[in-house]
């Protein structure tokens, strides 16, 4: 009589263990993948409703990479303190750039075509310093 009860009890404990592992263990990764929740870093901040995030291709990430390269080129070692400084400076650069772009857009300023042509012209010069339509095309 005791053997079937022990057998049923061990089956119940096994089922509860598997269920608990699925829900609280590997299952959380499965549920977040299924329902669209991704493991993302939180935003570092925002400017005018635009999030500043550390993700591939973002301006903030590019600023972090540039500053880290500058530190290495100057011979500094990247440690916890320098990482904090790099991220802080990159955040400030990103905010400043966003503010500058926003101010220019609000002012309604458009770069004239003549200025663009004047700036781009040196890229299309031949060996003699003359504008080359062939290089331009």
């Amino acid at each position: 009589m005791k053997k079937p009860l022990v057998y049923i009890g061990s089956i119940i404990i096994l089922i509860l263990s598997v269920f608990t592992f699925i829900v609280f263990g590997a299952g959380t990764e499965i549920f977040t993948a299924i329902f669209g929740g991704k493991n993302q870093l939180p935003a570092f901040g925002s400017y005018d409703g635009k999030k500043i995030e550390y993700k591939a291709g973002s301006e903030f990430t590019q600023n972090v990479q540039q500053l880290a390269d500058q530190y290495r080129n100057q011979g500094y070692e990247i440690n916890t303190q320098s990482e904090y400084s790099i991220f802080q400076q990159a955040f400030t650069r990103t905010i400043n750039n966003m503010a500058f772009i926003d101010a220019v857009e609000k002012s309604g300023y458009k770069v004239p075509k003549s200025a663009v042509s004047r700036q781009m012209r040196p890229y299309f010069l031949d060996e003699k310093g003359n504008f080359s339509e062939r290089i331009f095309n």
Side-chain angles (χ1 to χ4, degrees):
M1 192 79 167
K2 288 186 178 183
K3 296 244 179 194
L5 289 176
V6 171
Y7 178 73
I8 292 171
S10 62
I11 297 286
I12 291 172
I13 289 174
L14 178 66
I15 291 171
L16 288 174
S17 300
V18 168
F19 177 76
T20 304
F21 174 75
I22 289 173
V23 172
F24 297 109
T28 56
E29 295 296 323
I30 294 168
F31 290 134
T32 55
I34 290 172
F35 296 115
K38 297 178 182 173
N39 292 335
Q40 294 180 348
L41 291 172
F44 278 78
S46 64
Y47 174 80
D48 200 25
K50 300 173 194 166
K51 290 183 180 179
I52 299 172
E53 297 175 311
Y54 187 65
K55 62 182 181 181
S58 71
E59 181 182 353
F60 178 63
T61 305
Q62 291 171 357
N63 284 331
V64 168
Q65 291 300 319
Q66 289 172 356
L67 287 165
D69 290 342
Q70 284 178 3
Y71 268 65
R72 282 189 210 97
N73 291 338
Q74 293 174 359
Y76 292 111
E77 181 181 330
I78 305 293
N79 56 27
T80 307
Q81 185 62 34
S82 59
E83 284 177 353
Y84 176 78
S85 178
I86 288 169
F87 275 86
Q88 186 179 24
Q89 289 176 35
F91 183 78
T92 304
R93 279 187 184 182
T94 305
I95 289 289
N96 285 339
N97 194 40
M98 292 172 91
F100 296 150
I101 290 171
D102 192 36
V104 170
E105 286 176 357
K106 284 182 182 176
S107 73
Y109 177 75
K110 301 288 183 202
V111 178
K113 289 187 179 186
S114 61
V116 173
S117 296
R118 194 169 43 247
Q119 286 291 353
M120 294 301 294
R121 193 171 184 90
Y123 293 108
F124 306 112
L125 299 179
D126 61 8
E127 304 84 33
K128 298 177 185 174
N130 298 326
F131 177 75
S132 170
E133 195 168 330
R134 183 183 59 79
I135 296 173
F136 176 77
N137 291 330

